[in-house]
Coordinates of all heavy atoms in Angstrom, one line a residue:
Chain A
K190 N 9.2 1.3 9.7 CA 8.4 0.4 8.9 C 6.9 1.0 8.7 O 6.5 1.7 9.6 CB 8.3 -1.0 9.5 CG 9.6 -1.6 9.9 CD 10.5 -1.8 8.8 CE 11.9 -2.4 9.3 NZ 12.9 -2.3 8.3
A191 N 6.2 0.5 7.7 CA 4.8 0.7 7.6 C 4.2 -0.6 8.1 O 4.6 -1.7 7.8 CB 4.4 1.0 6.2
I192 N 3.1 -0.5 9.0 CA 2.5 -1.7 9.4 C 1.1 -1.7 8.8 O 0.3 -0.8 8.8 CB 2.3 -1.6 11.0 CG1 3.6 -1.5 11.7 CG2 1.6 -2.9 11.5 CD1 3.6 -1.4 13.2
E193 N 0.8 -2.9 8.1 CA -0.5 -3.1 7.5 C -1.3 -4.1 8.3 O -0.8 -5.1 8.7 CB -0.3 -3.6 6.1 CG -0.1 -2.6 5.1 CD 0.0 -3.1 3.7 OE1 -0.8 -4.1 3.4 OE2 0.7 -2.6 2.9
Y194 N -2.5 -3.7 8.7 CA -3.4 -4.6 9.4 C -4.5 -5.1 8.5 O -5.1 -4.4 7.8 CB -4.1 -3.8 10.5 CG -3.1 -3.1 11.5 CD1 -2.7 -1.8 11.2 CD2 -2.6 -3.7 12.6 CE1 -1.8 -1.1 12.1 CE2 -1.7 -3.1 13.5 CZ -1.3 -1.8 13.2 OH -0.4 -1.2 14.1
C195 N -4.6 -6.5 8.5 CA -5.6 -7.1 7.7 C -6.1 -8.4 8.4 O -5.7 -8.7 9.4 CB -5.1 -7.3 6.3 SG -3.7 -8.4 6.3
G196 N -7.1 -9.0 7.7 CA -7.6 -10.2 8.2 C -9.1 -10.1 8.7 O -9.6 -9.0 8.9
E197 N -9.7 -11.2 9.1 CA -11.1 -11.2 9.5 C -11.4 -10.4 10.7 O -12.4 -9.7 10.8 CB -11.5 -12.7 9.8 CG -13.0 -12.9 10.0 CD -13.3 -14.2 10.8 OE1 -12.4 -15.0 10.8 OE2 -14.4 -14.3 11.3
G198 N -10.4 -10.4 11.6 CA -10.6 -9.6 12.9 C -10.6 -8.2 12.6 O -11.2 -7.4 13.4
I199 N -9.9 -7.7 11.6 CA -9.9 -6.3 11.2 C -11.1 -5.9 10.4 O -11.8 -4.9 10.7 CB -8.6 -6.0 10.3 CG1 -7.3 -6.4 11.1 CG2 -8.6 -4.6 9.9 CD1 -7.0 -5.6 12.3
R200 N -11.5 -6.8 9.5 CA -12.7 -6.5 8.7 C -14.0 -6.4 9.6 O -14.9 -5.6 9.3 CB -12.9 -7.6 7.6 CG -12.0 -7.5 6.5 CD -12.4 -8.4 5.3 NE -12.3 -9.8 5.6 CZ -11.1 -10.5 5.5 NH1 -10.0 -9.9 5.1 NH2 -11.1 -11.8 5.8
A201 N -14.0 -7.2 10.7 CA -15.1 -7.2 11.6 C -15.2 -5.9 12.5 O -16.2 -5.6 13.1 CB -15.1 -8.4 12.5
M202 N -14.0 -5.2 12.5 CA -13.9 -4.1 13.4 C -14.5 -2.9 12.9 O -14.5 -2.6 11.7 CB -12.4 -3.9 13.6 CG -12.0 -3.2 14.8 SD -10.1 -3.1 14.9 CE -9.7 -4.7 15.5
S203 N -15.1 -2.1 13.8 CA -15.7 -0.8 13.4 C -14.5 0.2 13.0 O -13.4 0.0 13.3 CB -16.4 -0.2 14.6 OG -15.4 0.2 15.6
L204 N -14.9 1.3 12.3 CA -13.9 2.3 11.9 C -13.3 2.9 13.2 O -12.1 3.3 13.2 CB -14.5 3.3 11.0 CG -15.1 2.8 9.7 CD1 -15.5 3.9 8.8 CD2 -14.2 1.8 9.0
D205 N -14.1 3.1 14.2 CA -13.6 3.7 15.5 C -12.4 2.8 15.9 O -11.3 3.3 16.3 CB -14.7 3.7 16.6 CG -15.6 4.8 16.4 OD1 -15.5 5.6 15.4 OD2 -16.5 5.0 17.3
G206 N -12.6 1.5 15.9 CA -11.6 0.6 16.4 C -10.3 0.6 15.5 O -9.2 0.6 16.0
R207 N -10.6 0.7 14.2 CA -9.4 0.7 13.3 C -8.6 2.0 13.5 O -7.4 1.9 13.3 CB -10.0 0.7 11.8 CG -10.7 -0.6 11.5 CD -11.2 -0.5 10.1 NE -12.2 -1.6 9.8 CZ -12.7 -1.8 8.6 NH1 -12.3 -1.1 7.6 NH2 -13.5 -2.8 8.4
L208 N -9.2 3.1 13.8 CA -8.5 4.3 14.0 C -7.6 4.1 15.3 O -6.4 4.7 15.3 CB -9.4 5.5 14.2 CG -10.1 6.0 12.9 CD1 -11.3 6.9 13.2 CD2 -9.2 6.7 12.0
T209 N -8.1 3.4 16.2 CA -7.3 3.1 17.4 C -6.0 2.3 17.1 O -4.9 2.6 17.6 CB -8.1 2.4 18.5 OG1 -9.3 3.1 18.8 CG2 -7.3 2.1 19.8
L210 N -6.2 1.3 16.2 CA -5.0 0.5 15.8 C -4.0 1.3 15.1 O -2.8 1.3 15.5 CB -5.4 -0.6 14.9 CG -6.3 -1.8 15.3 CD1 -6.3 -2.8 14.2 CD2 -5.8 -2.4 16.6
A211 N -4.4 2.1 14.2 CA -3.5 2.9 13.4 C -2.8 3.9 14.3 O -1.6 4.2 14.2 CB -4.2 3.6 12.2
N212 N -3.6 4.5 15.2 CA -3.1 5.6 16.1 C -1.8 5.1 16.9 O -0.9 5.8 17.0 CB -4.2 5.9 17.1 CG -3.8 6.9 18.2 OD1 -3.3 6.5 19.2 ND2 -3.9 8.2 17.9
M213 N -1.9 3.9 17.4 CA -0.8 3.4 18.2 C 0.4 2.8 17.5 O 1.3 2.3 18.1 CB -1.3 2.5 19.3 CG -2.2 3.3 20.3 SD -2.5 2.5 21.9 CE -0.9 2.5 22.7
S214 N 0.3 2.8 16.1 CA 1.4 2.2 15.4 C 2.7 3.0 15.6 O 3.8 2.4 15.7 CB 1.1 2.3 13.9 OG -0.1 1.6 13.6
I215 N 2.6 4.3 15.9 CA 3.8 5.1 16.2 C 4.5 4.6 17.4 O 5.7 4.8 17.6 CB 3.5 6.6 16.2 CG1 4.7 7.5 16.5 CG2 2.5 6.9 17.3 CD1 5.6 7.7 15.3
E216 N 3.7 4.0 18.3 CA 4.3 3.5 19.6 C 5.3 2.3 19.4 O 6.0 1.9 20.3 CB 3.3 3.2 20.6 CG 2.2 4.2 20.8 CD 2.6 5.7 20.9 OE1 3.8 5.9 21.3 OE2 1.8 6.6 20.6
M217 N 5.3 1.8 18.2 CA 6.3 0.7 17.9 C 7.4 1.4 17.0 O 8.1 0.7 16.3 CB 5.6 -0.4 17.1 CG 4.7 -1.2 17.9 SD 3.7 -2.4 17.0 CE 2.3 -1.4 16.5
S218 N 7.3 2.7 17.0 CA 8.2 3.6 16.1 C 8.1 3.3 14.6 O 9.0 3.6 13.9 CB 9.7 3.4 16.5 OG 10.0 4.3 17.5
A219 N 6.9 2.9 14.2 CA 6.6 2.7 12.8 C 6.5 4.1 12.2 O 6.2 5.1 12.8 CB 5.3 1.9 12.6
K220 N 6.7 4.1 10.9 CA 6.5 5.3 10.1 C 5.0 5.6 10.0 O 4.5 6.7 10.2 CB 7.1 5.2 8.7 CG 6.9 6.4 7.8 CD 7.4 6.0 6.4 CE 7.6 7.3 5.6 NZ 8.9 7.5 5.2
T221 N 4.2 4.5 9.8 CA 2.8 4.7 9.8 C 2.1 3.3 10.0 O 2.8 2.3 9.9 CB 2.3 5.3 8.5 OG1 0.9 5.7 8.7 CG2 2.4 4.4 7.3
G222 N 0.8 3.3 10.2 CA 0.1 2.1 10.3 C -1.2 2.2 9.4 O -1.8 3.3 9.4
I223 N -1.4 1.3 8.6 CA -2.6 1.4 7.6 C -3.5 0.1 7.8 O -3.0 -1.0 7.7 CB -2.1 1.5 6.2 CG1 -1.0 2.5 6.0 CG2 -3.3 1.8 5.3 CD1 -0.5 2.7 4.6
V224 N -4.7 0.4 8.0 CA -5.7 -0.7 8.0 C -6.2 -0.9 6.6 O -6.6 0.1 5.9 CB -6.8 -0.4 9.0 CG1 -7.9 -1.5 9.0 CG2 -6.3 -0.1 10.4
E225 N -6.2 -2.1 6.1 CA -6.7 -2.4 4.8 C -8.1 -1.9 4.6 O -9.0 -2.3 5.3 CB -6.6 -3.9 4.5 CG -6.9 -4.3 3.1 CD -6.7 -5.8 2.9 OE1 -7.6 -6.5 3.3 OE2 -5.7 -6.2 2.4
P226 N -8.3 -0.9 3.7 CA -9.7 -0.3 3.6 C -10.7 -1.3 2.9 O -10.3 -2.1 2.1 CB -9.4 0.9 2.8 CG -8.2 0.7 2.0 CD -7.4 -0.3 2.8
D227 N -11.9 -1.1 3.3 CA -13.0 -2.0 2.7 C -14.2 -1.1 2.4 O -14.2 0.1 2.5 CB -13.3 -3.2 3.5 CG -13.7 -2.8 5.0 OD1 -14.0 -1.6 5.2 OD2 -13.8 -3.6 5.8
G228 N -15.3 -1.8 2.2 CA -16.6 -1.2 1.9 C -17.1 -0.3 3.0 O -17.7 0.8 2.8
K229 N -16.7 -0.6 4.2 CA -17.2 0.2 5.4 C -16.6 1.6 5.3 O -17.2 2.6 5.5 CB -16.7 -0.4 6.7 CG -17.5 -1.5 7.2 CD -17.0 -1.9 8.6 CE -17.5 -3.3 9.0 NZ -16.9 -3.7 10.3
V230 N -15.3 1.6 4.8 CA -14.6 2.9 4.7 C -15.2 3.7 3.5 O -15.5 4.9 3.7 CB -13.1 2.7 4.4 CG1 -12.4 4.0 4.2 CG2 -12.4 2.0 5.6
A231 N -15.5 3.0 2.4 CA -16.0 3.7 1.3 C -17.4 4.3 1.6 O -17.6 5.4 1.2 CB -16.2 2.7 0.1
S232 N -18.2 3.5 2.3 CA -19.5 4.1 2.6 C -19.4 5.3 3.6 O -20.2 6.3 3.6 CB -20.6 3.1 3.0 OG -20.0 2.1 3.7
Y233 N -18.5 5.2 4.6 CA -18.3 6.3 5.5 C -17.9 7.6 4.8 O -18.4 8.6 5.0 CB -17.2 5.8 6.5 CG -16.8 6.8 7.6 CD1 -17.6 6.9 8.8 CD2 -15.7 7.7 7.5 CE1 -17.2 7.8 9.8 CE2 -15.4 8.6 8.5 CZ -16.1 8.6 9.6 OH -15.8 9.5 10.6
I234 N -16.9 7.4 3.9 CA -16.5 8.6 3.1 C -17.6 9.2 2.3 O -17.8 10.4 2.1 CB -15.2 8.3 2.3 CG1 -14.1 7.7 3.1 CG2 -14.8 9.5 1.5 CD1 -13.3 8.7 4.0
R235 N -18.4 8.2 1.7 CA -19.5 8.7 0.8 C -20.5 9.4 1.6 O -21.0 10.5 1.2 CB -20.1 7.4 0.2 CG -21.1 7.7 -1.0 CD -21.8 6.5 -1.5 NE -20.9 5.4 -1.8 CZ -20.9 4.2 -1.2 NH1 -21.8 3.9 -0.3 NH2 -20.0 3.2 -1.6
E236 N -20.9 8.9 2.8 CA -21.9 9.6 3.6 C -21.4 11.0 4.0 O -22.2 11.9 4.1 CB -22.1 8.8 4.9 CG -23.0 7.7 4.9 CD -22.9 6.8 6.1 OE1 -22.5 7.3 7.2 OE2 -23.1 5.5 5.9
R237 N -20.1 11.1 4.2 CA -19.6 12.4 4.8 C -19.2 13.4 3.7 O -19.2 14.6 4.0 CB -18.4 12.1 5.7 CG -18.9 11.3 6.9 CD -18.1 11.2 8.1 NE -18.9 10.6 9.1 CZ -19.1 11.2 10.3 NH1 -18.5 12.4 10.5 NH2 -20.0 10.7 11.2
T238 N -18.8 12.9 2.6 CA -18.4 13.9 1.6 C -19.1 13.8 0.2 O -18.9 14.6 -0.6 CB -16.9 13.6 1.3 OG1 -16.7 12.4 0.6 CG2 -16.0 13.7 2.5

Side-chain angles (χ1 to χ4, degrees):
Chain A
K190 312 298 177 193
I192 303 179
E193 277 186 31
Y194 302 91
C195 60
E197 187 199 346
I199 302 292
R200 284 191 295 276
M202 204 177 275
S203 68
L204 300 189
D205 280 5
R207 297 179 190 187
L208 289 163
T209 303
L210 290 190
N212 175 269
M213 289 197 73
S214 302
I215 183 76
E216 312 314 337
M217 294 170 269
S218 269
K220 180 186 194 117
T221 193
I223 311 180
V224 178
E225 188 175 77
D227 58 9
K229 281 188 199 173
V230 175
S232 32
Y233 180 84
I234 304 283
R235 193 184 310 120
E236 276 166 31
R237 297 196 164 236
T238 66

